[in-house]
Amino acid sequence: MRQSCRAVAALAATAKAATLADLCTVANVQSALPANGTLVGIDLLPSTVTASPVYNATGGMSSTATYTYCNVTVAYTHTGKGDIVNLKYALPSPSSFSNRFYVAGGGGFSLSSDATGGLAYDAASGATDAGYDAFSTSYDEVVLYGNGSINWDATHMFGYQALGEMTQVGKPLTRGFYALADDTKLYTYFEGCSDGGREGMSQVQRYGEEFDGAITGAPAFRFAHQQVLHVYSSAVEQTLDYYPPPCELEKIVNATIAACDPLDGRTDGVISRTDLCMLNFNLTSIIGESYYCAAETSSSLGFGFNRKRQAQGSTTSTTPEQNGTVTAEGVAVAQGIYDGIFNSEGERAYLSWQIGSELGDAATTYNNETDTWELNIPSTGGEYVTKFIQLLDLDNLSDLNNVTYDTLVDWINTGFVRYYESLQTTLPDLTPFQSTGGKLLHYHGESDSSIPAASSVHYWQSVRSIMYPDLSDEEALAALQEWYQFYLIPGAGHCGANSLQPGPYPQNNMDIIIDWVENGVQPTALNATVSSGVKAGETQMLCQWPTRPLWASENATSFDCVEDEASIDSWTYTFPAFKLPVY
Ligand SMILES: *[C@@H]1O[C@H](CO)[C@@H](O)[C@H](O)[C@H]1NC(C)=O
Ligand SMILES: *[C@@H]1O[C@H](CO)[C@@H](O)[C@H](O)[C@H]1NC(C)=O
Ligand SMILES: *[C@@H]1O[C@H](CO)[C@@H](O)[C@H](O)[C@H]1NC(C)=O
Ligand SMILES: *[C@@H]1O[C@H](CO)[C@@H](O)[C@H](O)[C@H]1NC(C)=O
Ligand SMILES: *[C@@H]1O[C@H](CO)[C@@H](O)[C@H](O)[C@H]1NC(C)=O
Ligand SMILES: *[C@@H]1O[C@H](CO)[C@@H](O)[C@H](O)[C@H]1NC(C)=O
Ligand SMILES: *[C@@H]1O[C@H](CO)[C@@H](O)[C@H](O)[C@H]1NC(C)=O
Ligand SMILES: *[C@@H]1O[C@H](CO)[C@@H](O)[C@H](O)[C@H]1NC(C)=O
Ligand SMILES: *[C@@H]1O[C@H](CO)[C@@H](O)[C@H](O)[C@H]1NC(C)=O
Ligand SMILES: *[C@@H]1O[C@H](CO)[C@@H](O)[C@H](O)[C@H]1NC(C)=O
Ligand SMILES: *[C@@H]1O[C@H](CO)[C@@H](O)[C@H](O)[C@H]1NC(C)=O
Ligand SMILES: *[C@@H]1O[C@H](CO)[C@@H](O)[C@H](O)[C@H]1NC(C)=O
C-alpha cells in the first residue's frame, strides 16, 4: 500500500516535471481513458483518440492571452446502441495545470463547441457533439426527425446527458493524463448564462456529485413556460387589437426608467429596485407623453447560395419616422405584458419581465403598403410552439389566429408534461450536489427582457422550500447561503449590461467561486463594476438575495442591503393555472 502510494507520488512528480509534448501523446491519452464497464453505459473507443500539442494559440476566454495545451479528441458509444458521440478536450501544460476541470455552457439551442474555456483558469476543459453534431448543429434543427416524430436522443443529450457524460469521461481522463494521485482533488466547475445557465442547472440537478462549483446566469429553465412566454407579447397585442409602433413602447420603457430610477434612493440611470417600481409606479401616468424616433433604413444581403439568388434576397427595409404621444392602448399592452400570463379563469400561469425591462418581444413590423404596424411573432417562441408542441417542422408560427391566453396555457401544459424529464430543468432537490460539498452561484439581470428575473427567484424559493421543509424562512436561508447563493444584478439585461440602464455587472465570478470551493471563503456579495453612464468605473458589491439594495442618499457611494417583506412578496408567485407543482 505504502509502496504504491510512493509510486503514485513519483509518477505525479514526473508528470509535473514533464513537458506538454511528453504527455500529449495518443498512448498517454488512451491509457487515461476509463475502461469499459467503469462508466456504465459509456464505451470509449480508444482507436478514435487524437492528441496534439497546440502552442501559443489565441482564444479561450481572453482575446489577448495565448494558450498552450494538448488538443485531445475521442469518441464513445452508448453500450449496445451503436451511436457515436465525439468529445474534445483541452489540457493545459503540466506547469500551468491547477487541478481544475471546467465546463462551459452554450446558449440558445447550442451547447458550447469550444473546449478551451478552462485554460484561463489553469483548468482542463471539454466539449461534446452530443451525438447530433452539436459542434455545428443547433438542437432545434434536429429536434424533429420529421413532422410528429421527436428525436428523444438529441433531446435528452441536449437537456442534460451530453454534458454530464463529457464531464464523467473528462475527469478520469484528466487525472490519468497528469497522473494525479488518488488523494489529489480535481476541482470541477461549471460556468454559463442563458441556456448555458440552464445547462448548469441541469448538471447541478442531475450530476451534482460531479461538480464542486457552478455559476449559472439567467438560466433558460422552466423551459415550456419560458419559451411560450416568448409569444405572449404578441398574444397581448392581438387580444387587445393594438399593435404599437416600436417607438411608443420604447418611450414607455424610457419613461418608466426615468420615473423609477430614484425610488432606490439614488438617481443614477438604473432601477435598482424594480419591486419598488412595480409597487409604486403606475404606467398610466405616461399616457400623453410624446415620443419621437427618426426613420431608419437597414439593409441585409440575404442568404442566397448563388449570386443571382443573393441579389434577389438582398433587402432594404425602412421604418418610417415615428412621432406621436403614448396612448392608453400602448400602456395597456405594456401593462398586460408585465403582468404575466393568466388563463380565462384569472388563474396565473406564468410570471413576466420586471417593469422597466425592454419589450423586445412586442416589436411590431411595419407594412409600407398599408402604412400600419402589424403583428410580428418572435421565432424564439413561435418555433417552440410549431416544433416542440405542434410537432411540425416549421420555423415559426404564421399567425395567432384563434390563439387566446387559454391556448398559451394549453401549450405550456403540453410542453411542461412532454419535456418534464428532459428540458424543463427545474428539479428542486439538489441533495447530491449539496451533500458532496457543491457550491452554486446563481445570478440574473434584474431587467432581463428575455428571461424574467423572477423566474430565477422562483427556483431559488422552490429549492429552499423543498430542501428545508421543516425550517423557518430565516433558518432555511442561513442553511442555503452556505452552498447556494442568488444575486440580482440591478438594471442588467440578458446575460449582460443594459444600455438603457447603465449599471453594474459582475466581473470576477470565477475568482469568487474558486475561492469558495478551494479556500472555503463563503461569498457575501458579488463584485460588479459599472462600465458606462454617469457612474462608470464604480464598483458595487451586489446584495445577496433576499436582501435588496437601497441607497441612503443621492450622494451615497454604496447601497445598503435591506430586508423588505413587501418587496419580496412582489417577487413571489404561485401558478394555480396548473395542477402540477411548478418549481
Ligand atoms: C469498449 O467497447 C467498445 C464497443 O462498445 C469497443 O469498441 C472498445 O474497443 C472497447 N474499449 C476498450 C478499451 O476495450
Ligand atoms: C510560445 O511563446 C513563448 C513565449 O512568447 C515562446 O518562448 C515560445 O517559443 C513559443 N512557442 C512556440 C512553439 O511558438
Ligand atoms: C484538434 O484536433 C482535431 C482532431 O485532430 C482537429 O480537427 C482540430 O483542428 C484540432 N484543433 C486545434 C486547435 O488544433
Ligand atoms: C430611449 O432611451 C435611449 C437611451 O437613452 C435612447 O437612445 C432612445 O432614443 C430613447 N427612445 C425613446 C423613444 O425615447
Ligand atoms: C393605475 O391607474 C389607473 C388609472 O388611475 C387605475 O385604473 C389602475 O388600477 C392603476 N393600476 C394600478 C396597478 O394601481
Ligand atoms: C415597400 O418596401 C419594399 C422593400 O422592403 C420596397 O420594394 C417597396 O417599394 C416599398 N413600397 C412602398 C409603397 O414604399
Ligand atoms: C412631431 O409632430 C408634432 C405635431 O405634429 C410636431 O409639432 C413636431 O415638430 C414633430 N416632431 C418632430 C421631431 O418631427
Ligand atoms: C417568424 O420569425 C421570423 C424570424 O424571427 C420573422 O422574420 C417572421 O416575420 C416571423 N413570422 C411572423 C408571422 O411574425
Ligand atoms: C410538415 O407539416 C407542415 C405543416 O402542416 C407542412 O407544411 C410540411 O410540408 C410538412 N412537412 C413534410 C415533410 O411533410
Ligand atoms: C377560428 O375558430 C372558429 C371557430 O372555431 C373557426 O370557425 C375559424 O375557422 C377559426 N379561424 C381560423 C383562422 O382558424
Ligand atoms: C472586484 O473586481 C475588480 C475587477 O475584476 C477587481 O479589481 C477588484 O479587486 C475586485 N474587488 C473585490 C473586493 O473582490
Ligand atoms: C450631494 O453632493 C452635492 C455636491 O457635492 C451637495 O451639494 C449636496 O448637498 C449633497 N446631497 C446630499 C443629500 O448629501
Side-chain angles (χ1 to χ4, degrees):
M1 197 58 199
R2 183 161 294 177
Q3 200 180 0
S4 80
C5 277
R6 223 181 291 134
V8 168
L11 245 180
T14 315
K16 243 352 187 197
T19 65
L20 183 68
D22 295 335
L23 300 187
C24 190
T25 64
V26 169
N28 188 38
V29 172
Q30 284 175 334
S31 70
L33 294 178
N36 287 350
T38 316
L39 298 171
V40 178
I42 296 176
D43 291 348
L44 284 147
L45 305 172
S47 61
T48 63
V49 169
T50 71
S52 51
V54 176
Y55 293 101
N56 295 340
T58 52
M61 291 307 220
S62 155
S63 52
T64 50
T66 62
Y67 295 107
T68 291
Y69 61 94
C70 182
N71 172 26
V72 168
T73 66
V74 59
Y76 67 93
T77 183
H78 290 104
T79 305
K81 189 165 181 140
D83 60 341
I84 293 289
V85 182
N86 291 292
L87 303 175
K88 56 185 176 184
Y89 295 98
L91 298 131
S93 281
S95 57
S96 57
F97 174 62
S98 292
N99 301 337
R100 295 181 186 135
F101 188 82
Y102 174 94
V103 182
F109 281 113
S110 297
L111 301 173
S112 171
S113 58
D114 179 8
T116 63
L119 298 174
Y121 311 109
D122 298 333
S125 54
T128 171
D129 87 342
Y132 62 83
D133 200 16
F135 294 146
S136 56
T137 305
S138 171
Y139 157 63
D140 59 324
E141 295 172 48
V142 298
V143 58
L144 296 179
Y145 291 114
N147 287 346
S149 178
I150 299 173
N151 183 342
W152 282 111
D153 285 332
T155 299
H156 284 110
M157 288 297 269
F158 175 76
Y160 56 88
Q161 191 182 348
L163 287 173
E165 292 180 346
M166 185 280 287
T167 306
Q168 287 180 319
V169 171
K171 289 173 67 179
L173 188 156
T174 301
R175 300 190 74 91
F177 182 87
Y178 298 103
L180 291 191
D182 286 350
D183 60 354
T184 299
K185 174 93 179 153
L186 180 63
Y187 297 106
T188 302
Y189 298 95
F190 185 98
E191 183 179 28
C193 198
S194 192
D195 197 75
R198 185 199 62 78
E199 292 158 25
M201 288 301 192
S202 80
Q203 299 307 289
V204 166
Q205 292 166 11
R206 306 263 183 182
Y207 295 88
E209 62 289 345
E210 297 288 348
F211 289 87
D212 300 292
I215 300 170
T216 57
F221 56 10
R222 211 167 300 105
F223 207 80
H225 300 71
Q226 171 59 34
Q227 299 305 321
V228 173
L229 180 65
H230 278 308
V231 288
Y232 175 59
S233 300
S234 304
V236 170
E237 292 168 343
Q238 169 161 291
T239 303
L240 300 181
D241 194 24
Y242 181 70
Y243 303 92
C247 190
E248 182 179 14
L249 291 181
E250 225 181 284
K251 176 66 189 191
I252 291 171
V253 171
N254 283 2
T256 303
I257 295 169
C260 290
D261 170 4
L263 297 177
D264 55 35
R266 191 178 86 168
T267 309
D268 54 8
V270 176
I271 313 180
S272 297
R273 292 290 297 279
T274 56
D275 40 60
L276 295 179
C277 186
M278 185 177 175
L279 295 171
N280 297 297
F281 178 65
N282 192 326
L283 287 174
T284 58
S285 62
I286 304 171
I287 295 168
E289 287 192 32
S290 60
Y291 61 81
Y292 178 80
C293 294
E296 256 183 72
T297 300
S298 58
S299 306
S300 78
L301 271 178
F303 298 99
F305 292 107
N306 58 46
R307 215 175 285 153
K308 203 169 150 204
R309 288 265 311 268
Q310 194 154 357
Q312 284 178 344
S314 84
T315 55
T316 305
S317 61
T318 302
T319 55
E321 181 181 63
Q322 300 167 61
N323 181 5
T325 54
V326 172
T327 61
E329 291 84 353
V331 163
V333 164
Q335 185 69 58
I337 294 170
Y338 289 138
D339 284 345
I341 308 177
F342 291 82
N343 66 16
S344 55
E345 306 284 301
E347 295 166 322
R348 181 178 285 281
Y350 207 40
L351 44 75
S352 184
W353 305 287
Q354 291 301 109
I355 188 169
S357 303
E358 285 185 80
L359 295 165
D361 278 353
T364 48
T365 325
Y366 184 62
N367 180 332
N368 66 1
E369 311 215 321
T370 57
D371 188 25
T372 53
W373 294 91
E374 295 180 342
L375 183 75
N376 173 54
I377 305 170
S379 60
T380 40
E383 184 198 40
Y384 178 77
V385 174
T386 52
K387 289 192 175 171
F388 292 74
I389 304 302
Q390 299 174 338
L391 305 182
L392 298 174
D393 202 0
L394 302 172
D395 291 338
N396 200 351
L397 286 164
S398 55
D399 55 59
L400 292 180
N401 293 344
N402 284 359
V403 169
T404 65
Y405 296 147
D406 283 337
T407 318
L408 301 194
V409 177
D410 285 347
W411 285 340
I412 296 174
N413 204 41
T414 298
F416 186 21
V417 171
R418 184 177 292 158
Y419 305 100
Y420 193 81
E421 195 272 339
S422 51
L423 302 175
Q424 193 71 359
T425 326
T426 47
L427 295 177
D429 178 7
L430 305 181
T431 301
F433 177 74
Q434 182 265 336
S435 64
T436 52
K439 311 293 183 214
L440 176 57
L441 266 189
H442 174 184
Y443 66 89
H444 207 129
E446 187 159 331
S447 290
D448 189 325
S449 59
S450 179
I451 300 176
S455 158
S456 277
V457 170
H458 187 69
Y459 181 71
W460 181 92
Q461 291 171 331
S462 297
V463 172
R464 184 185 57 179
S465 60
I466 290 295
M467 291 197 61
Y468 301 107
D470 301 326
L471 300 188
S472 68
D473 280 3
E474 291 73 31
E475 292 167 335
L477 174 64
L480 206 51
Q481 277 176 347
E482 291 183 9
W483 62 275
Y484 175 10
Q485 299 191 354
F486 174 61
Y487 294 89
L488 285 167
I489 309 168
H494 185 56
C495 296
N498 173 2
S499 62
L500 295 183
Q501 297 185 52
Y505 207 74
Q507 302 301 323
N508 63 344
N509 289 346
M510 273 301 286
D511 296 342
I512 290 172
I513 201 145
I514 286 172
D515 218 22
W516 195 5
V517 165
E518 298 180 19
N519 305 320
V521 179
Q522 182 176 322
T524 53
L526 273 197
N527 176 8
T529 311
V530 180
S531 58
S532 66
V534 290
K535 299 293 178 184
E538 184 178 81
T539 293
Q540 296 182 14
M541 300 307 284
L542 303 186
C543 299
Q544 189 183 151
W545 180 264
T547 66
R548 303 290 296 136
L550 192 63
W551 304 90
S553 79
E554 282 291 344
N555 291 354
T557 53
S558 68
F559 42 64
D560 300 316
C561 294
V562 303
E563 287 171 31
D564 181 337
E565 203 53 45
S567 285
I568 301 313
D569 288 349
S570 80
W571 287 91
T572 302
Y573 293 93
T574 57
F575 304 102
F578 305 102
K579 299 272 188 286
L580 279 176
V582 178
Y583 295 119

